[in-house]
Amino acid sequence: MDTPLPESAIHPLIHHHTGPITTIRRTTHGNTSDLTAVIDCANGPFFVKAVRDRPGGRRDSLLRERQVAPTLLDLSPPLLWDVEGDGWLVLGYEAVEARHADLTPGSPDLPLVVDTVARIGRVPLPAYAHSWTETRWDRFTPDAALLRGDALLHTDINPHNLLVAGPRVWAVDWAWPTRGAAFIDPALLVVQLIAAGHTPASAEGWASRIPTWRTADRHAVTVFAAATLRMHEAFAARKPDEEWLKAMVEACRSWTAYGEATA
């Protein structure tokens, strides 16, 4: 038996919220979901994320994203509705007209992006997130204890998840928010800035505008940089044709070399 496409499967579930649907436009990113799309409809448009309602990573990720959404009202487009049934979990967000952030040197987006990462760092950790300990870097460092903390983290800071809409930037795709050291999100921005053409010194200069970076333990940052390099090297070894992973490896190598030279 053929498995129906997500668009067909979720249509009856979401019709109450959308009204008649005109088009469903899949996005080019969103690998953690079975469907990410902008739905043009009578009551919308809406940005929709949908996963099959099966135990495991994708469903757990979307459940966590649904739970954290009310905490992010000034950072991310609001979650307007959600539906769970008939084997699917669907989140419907306000659709925003925006573009991906430009992180290249000289971009006018840079101050906005830095301010957004700083605002993420000011969100208090919700009580329900205390069990969301960040562990993804643990197998890449013997010093994982240095990455623990009580900050609510986005953990996937990259241009595709930073949407520029006029004078503001939305931080989207909170697919796996966690609890950890407050410098981790700014550190992830550093890697992205280097990949976009900044020198490590320039990238850290932008990060220095973020309070949680300025107060970070430099040894912990060094440990994180080395662990991130090992992580991306492992991912790139498994997927040698993925150019973005190669770019991440090179950015991390440049950053760790800079850290060793300036230590």
Side-chain angles (χ1 to χ4, degrees), residues 194-212:
I194 296 171
H198 292 258
T199 66
S202 169
E204 289 200 0
W206 281 104
S208 70
R209 302 185 182 200
I210 303 171
T212 54

Side-chain angles (χ1 to χ4, degrees), residues 226-249:
T228 303
L229 172 58
R230 294 185 198 107
M231 181 175 70
H232 284 304
E233 286 176 333
F235 293 164
R238 291 203 299 268
K239 298 181 178 180
D241 295 329
E242 294 284 350
E243 293 299 324
W244 74 271
L245 283 173
K246 295 178 184 177
M248 291 298 100
V249 169

Side-chain angles (χ1 to χ4, degrees), residues 126-139:
Y128 56 75
H130 277 266
S131 63
W132 295 356
T133 303
E134 178 54 68
T135 59
R136 276 168 288 188
W137 284 267
D138 285 14
R139 64 191 178 100

